[in-house]
């Protein structure tokens, strides 16, 4: 049997919220002791075939330096490209690098549909086709720059 490690990591890691709500204080995101090589090494030692990391969760925050938004790791005090570091570490340790990508994006003004609990986000003026181009652009960045072995999608409820 083979298994993968699933790493859920982002600005909400440093808050008391389970997965974030698009309003995390990304200015506190500064995991200075992050060691992607250690993650990959431990995953391999544990027998994992690969690592799946939340490249972008529902809050819309990107763990890479996206050319399509400033709501990303490059705009934090940390600044380092986590996908770049983890993909390189996985390659060195012979562990498959994979990404999780939420289709839902609470940060992007064009993401639809709004949910009943999204009281602070009006759908007024939102255009899903514009969001779709944004989503496709982000996926193109991930595939071109990091070559993940698996793209895991969520958030299209």
């Amino acid at each position: 049997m083979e298994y993968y490690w699933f790493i859920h990591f982002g600005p909400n890691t440093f808050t008391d919220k389970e997965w974030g709500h698009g309003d995390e204080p990304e200015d506190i995101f500064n995991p200075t002791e992050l060691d992607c090589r250690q993650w990959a090494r431990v995953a391999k030692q544990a027998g994992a075939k690969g690592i799946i990391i939340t490249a972008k969760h529902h809050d819309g925050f990107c763990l890479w330096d996206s050319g399509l938004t400033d709501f990303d790791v490059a705009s934090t005090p940390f600044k380092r490209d986590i996908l770049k570091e983890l993909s390189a570490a996985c390659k060195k340790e012979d562990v498959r690098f994979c990404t999780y990508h939420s289709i839902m994006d609470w940060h992007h003004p064009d993401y639809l549909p709004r949910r009943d609990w999204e009281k602070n986000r009006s759908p007024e003026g939102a255009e899903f086709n514009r969001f779709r181009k944004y989503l496709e652009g982000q996926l193109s960045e991930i595939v071109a720059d990091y070559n993940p072995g698996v793209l895991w999608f969520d958030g299209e409820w």
Side-chain angles (χ1 to χ4, degrees):
M1 173 188 257
E2 64 182 49
Y3 67 96
Y4 287 70
W5 273 20
F6 197 106
I7 299 175
H8 194 293
F9 193 70
N12 61 301
T13 303
F14 304 95
T15 70
D16 61 355
K17 297 177 183 174
E18 183 176 349
W19 62 62
H21 295 90
D23 59 354
E24 279 63 48
E26 62 273 8
D27 57 338
I28 67 166
F29 187 72
N30 195 11
T32 56
E33 304 210 13
L34 176 67
D35 184 345
C36 291
R37 185 75 189 268
Q38 181 184 24
W39 282 1
R41 189 177 306 119
V42 171
K44 182 176 182 172
Q45 289 170 352
K49 174 88 172 165
I51 292 175
I52 302 168
I53 188 159
T54 50
K56 185 187 89 164
H57 200 249
H58 308 329
D59 59 5
F61 184 81
C62 303
L63 291 183
W64 75 98
D65 182 7
S66 175
L68 301 171
T69 183
D70 288 335
F71 195 52
D72 64 11
V73 71
S75 298
T76 69
F78 188 62
K79 301 210 182 299
R80 292 169 26 204
D81 186 329
I82 295 171
L83 295 191
K84 181 178 180 179
E85 290 183 25
L86 186 56
S87 63
C90 285
K91 186 173 184 175
K92 286 181 181 175
E93 295 296 330
D94 195 28
V95 173
R96 184 180 243 185
F97 171 75
C98 309
T99 59
Y100 163 108
H101 195 91
S102 174
I103 294 169
M104 181 182 290
D105 188 325
W106 299 329
H107 185 75
H108 198 283
D110 289 318
Y111 177 76
L112 294 170
R114 298 294 195 265
R115 306 294 182 228
D116 291 340
W117 46 263
E118 292 185 90
K119 305 294 184 202
N120 297 330
R121 288 177 23 101
S122 168
E124 191 71 31
E127 292 182 28
F128 189 77
N129 283 335
R130 195 166 43 208
F131 173 74
R132 183 178 169 180
K133 288 180 184 176
Y134 171 78
L135 175 67
E136 290 170 353
Q138 285 193 322
L139 293 171
S140 293
E141 287 178 339
I142 290 171
V143 170
D145 295 342
Y146 311 104
N147 192 31
V150 171
L151 292 169
W152 178 307
F153 294 99
D154 184 21
E156 220 283 305
W157 307 328

